[in-house]
Amino acid sequence: MAAMELLRNGGSALDAVELACRITEDDPEDHSVGYSGLPNLLGQVELDASIMDGRTLRTGAVASIHNYGNPITIARRVMEELPHVLLVGAGAERFAAEIGQQPADQRTAEALAKWRERFAESGLDPNALGDNLRAVAHVVTRPVNLKDKPVIEPPLHGKPETLGTVNFLAIDQRGDIASGVSTSGIAWKYPGRVGDSPIVGAGNYSDNRYGAAACTGMGELAIRVSTARSLVLYMKMGMSLHEAGMEALRDLSVLEMVEGRYMNIVALTPDGQHQGFTTVAGRKYLHMHAAMREPELLDRTCLEE
Ligand code: ASP
């Protein structure tokens, strides 16, 4: 709602998506994004985020950042202050300190309890994993129960079991498009694993001329077929929003889909058409425009439909 208010008051799409991501990142109830995100195999919270300005095609991203909150803001500063687009790990943390962010433990007791529970379910001791993390990764990195939370406003709060990523796509009064994506990644991931969210072209893409797209789900899938950029490119090549989304789903459909691992996409056109797509039936997304008091929850289109 705050992001929509900003847009109503003439604010930029870039500011709106950053604000919307920040609100979600700061929410301790949300265990898939920012503070209180579910940790990696070692119990560390590693955050990823990206932001893209559809007017200039400038973009910034951070990945595997520890001990700093609001990765979307760090990503935006990368875009604005460095001749680079992506910083990872220690370099991203160094940059966060340089721009004045205060280090802060992103773990919460609740998220760590879930991490311990996950190991207990697998009959493993998280404090005695030894050197063979790759074997453990296959045991505990089960497909996650993602709950969709895209477009314009942090929705579905107060649902502690929700896992996922936030995608925000916005158009402002000048017609500029921006997209922001933020996540703590797949729960119990191998340390250093980076998903699609900070990979511009995979999990996030915006271009004022053709539209924007962003993804949630098993990031490895979107990376392998460059989902967000592909969808926008299909629109550039003349497909409608619907056709472009279906083509992006067909790209994903050639990948082996382990049960529970799937990909969701939200997409937007420069004239404000929007649609959600998914590789599994029953997923939803949220949409809101300036004349609406509340966001509306809409069905995503699945390939079989
Ligand atoms: N796409 C994110 C990733 O792979 C995870 C998610 O959407 O839940 O890191």
Side-chain angles (χ1 to χ4, degrees), residues 48 144 146 163-165 183 185-186 193 195-197 215-220:
D48 302 336
V144 294
L146 296 158
L163 301 176
T165 293
T183 189
I186 297 288
R193 176 268 185 191
D196 59 323
S197 306
C215 303
T216 57
M218 189 71 187
E220 283 75 2

Side-chain angles (χ1 to χ4, degrees), residues 57 59-60 108 119 139 273 281:
L57 305 188
T59 180
T108 57
F119 276 91
V139 180
Q273 297 169 57

Side-chain angles (χ1 to χ4, degrees), residues 58-125:
R58 287 192 311 162
T59 180
V62 289
S64 288
I65 188 163
H66 292 211
N67 288 320
Y68 283 90
N70 297 128
I72 194 70
T73 294
I74 307 170
R76 182 165 178 184
R77 299 285 292 268
V78 168
M79 175 175 90
E80 289 173 345
E81 296 185 29
L82 288 177
H84 308 309
V85 298
L86 171 62
L87 291 183
V88 302
E93 290 150 25
R94 181 191 176 104
F95 178 74
E98 237 182 78
I99 62 170
Q101 295 242 7
Q102 296 304 314
D105 194 346
Q106 299 299 301
R107 296 170 303 174
T108 57
E110 203 186 339
L112 286 173
K114 288 176 185 296
W115 171 70
R116 279 190 211 93
E117 273 165 33
R118 183 68 193 104
F119 276 91
E121 278 170 23
S122 308
L124 293 162
D125 176 356

Side-chain angles (χ1 to χ4, degrees), residues 56-258:
T56 59
L57 305 188
R58 287 192 311 162
T59 180
V62 289
S64 288
I65 188 163
H66 292 211
N67 288 320
Y68 283 90
N70 297 128
I72 194 70
T73 294
I74 307 170
R76 182 165 178 184
R77 299 285 292 268
V78 168
M79 175 175 90
E80 289 173 345
E81 296 185 29
L82 288 177
H84 308 309
V85 298
L86 171 62
L87 291 183
V88 302
E93 290 150 25
R94 181 191 176 104
F95 178 74
E98 237 182 78
I99 62 170
Q101 295 242 7
Q102 296 304 314
D105 194 346
Q106 299 299 301
R107 296 170 303 174
T108 57
E110 203 186 339
L112 286 173
K114 288 176 185 296
W115 171 70
R116 279 190 211 93
E117 273 165 33
R118 183 68 193 104
F119 276 91
E121 278 170 23
S122 308
L124 293 162
D125 176 356
N127 299 311
L129 295 178
D131 289 334
N132 196 1
L133 278 191
R134 60 194 190 281
V136 179
H138 287 288
V139 180
V140 300
T141 313
R142 65 178 174 194
V144 294
N145 174 26
L146 296 158
K147 193 81 183 169
D148 307 339
K149 309 182 283 179
V151 182
I152 301 296
E153 191 57 19
L156 310 184
H157 276 201
K159 299 210 172 155
E161 297 313 314
T162 294
L163 301 176
T165 293
V166 277
N167 295 164
F168 291 102
L169 309 179
I171 305 182
D172 63 28
Q173 292 176 16
R174 287 168 294 282
D176 289 331
I177 299 181
S179 49
V181 177
S182 185
T183 189
S184 51
I186 297 288
W188 343 124
K189 60 194 174 185
Y190 196 99
R193 176 268 185 191
V194 174
D196 59 323
S197 306
I199 306 297
V200 171
N204 186 0
Y205 203 78
S206 281
D207 184 326
N208 269 11
R209 297 168 297 175
Y210 312 113
C215 303
T216 57
M218 189 71 187
E220 283 75 2
L221 301 172
I223 290 174
R224 287 165 65 193
V225 293
S226 306
T227 299
R229 165 68 170 145
S230 294
L231 195 156
V232 174
L233 185 62
Y234 296 142
M235 294 198 287
K236 173 180 177 177
M237 301 309 283
M239 287 187 186
S240 68
L241 170 63
H242 178 80
E243 288 165 350
M246 296 311 268
E247 193 58 29
L249 290 181
R250 276 191 284 276
D251 291 344
L252 289 159
S253 73
V254 304
L255 307 177
E256 74 286 2
M257 287 285 165
V258 176

